[in-house]
Amino acid sequence: SGDIFGQLIETSGALAGPNVPVSASPFNELAPSVAYAAATDQYLAVWWGQPSGGPPMDVFAQLLGPDGTPAGDAVRVSESGAAQAFTHVASNPATHQLLISWPDDRNAEGSSTDVFAQLIAVRPPVIQVVIDVKPGSFPNSINLGSTGVVPVAILSDANFDATQVDPATVTLANASIGLKGNGSFMASFEDVNSDGMLDLVVHVSASALQLTAGDTQAALAGRTFEGRQINGSDSVRIVP
């Protein structure tokens, strides 16, 4: 049987550490291909193997950590009962997806084969952010019957830049950001906590907040311009 190994290479061309065993199944494993998922700093290795010792051949995949070591177990991407080989994989950093493709003889068309593909989602971890409902006030009293807006700040810190949050994706208690008369979002950059870093301040209609009289927390969700999910929450007090 043939196994799958990998080797990280420095930008200088030097070897970075030892060979890394990717898969050592007790059957032939051949023709590996690899792509990089920048959002999670992982690699995806794909290859075809022969679990039965001959045709049919199946398609396998394995996520690898930044040091090349396997993250979890290998998965069988396709088991068609036919010949599947010469796998390829490509990465789309905009959607955090990888596409595996391979020629496949499952349709039994004689001497010709078809091409099949499988999308693999590699979601980056959610970024937990600090928010401040009604900056400068406490408790954060909200009248759900008000016709006004509720400001909320998404705070920047040493590891997170709030100016990279897409205002179009932000919700507070499932309510979207309000719009100005010109159609732009009610959002601005301010240093609300005087730490020298710009924060994103948005405004949400109080009546649109999906809260009840007994709620004590308001949850915020959104995405960065790169598509990273953000979550945060702050205390609230619902008043008549």
Side-chain angles (χ1 to χ4, degrees), residues 132-185:
D132 187 1
V133 174
K134 302 185 71 173
S137 71
F138 186 82
N140 304 319
S141 301
I142 298 176
N143 181 349
L144 299 177
S146 169
T147 59
V149 295
V150 176
V152 55
I154 302 173
L155 304 181
S156 293
D157 60 31
N159 299 310
F160 178 72
D161 183 359
T163 67
Q164 296 306 303
V165 175
D166 182 357
T169 67
V170 175
T171 61
L172 180 68
N174 294 313
S176 299
I177 296 177
L179 297 177
K180 301 177 183 177
N182 62 5
S184 61
F185 291 105

Side-chain angles (χ1 to χ4, degrees), residues 111-137:
S111 61
S112 64
T113 57
D114 300 320
V115 175
F116 282 76
Q118 175 66 57
L119 275 174
I120 303 291
V122 184
R123 300 297 182 193
V126 174
I127 302 172
Q128 298 297 327
V129 298
V130 178
I131 69 170
D132 187 1
V133 174
K134 302 185 71 173
S137 71

Side-chain angles (χ1 to χ4, degrees), residues 8-28:
L8 285 173
I9 304 295
E10 301 282 4
T11 55
S12 64
L15 301 183
N19 294 163
V20 177
V22 175
S23 179
S25 298
F27 51 80
N28 280 336

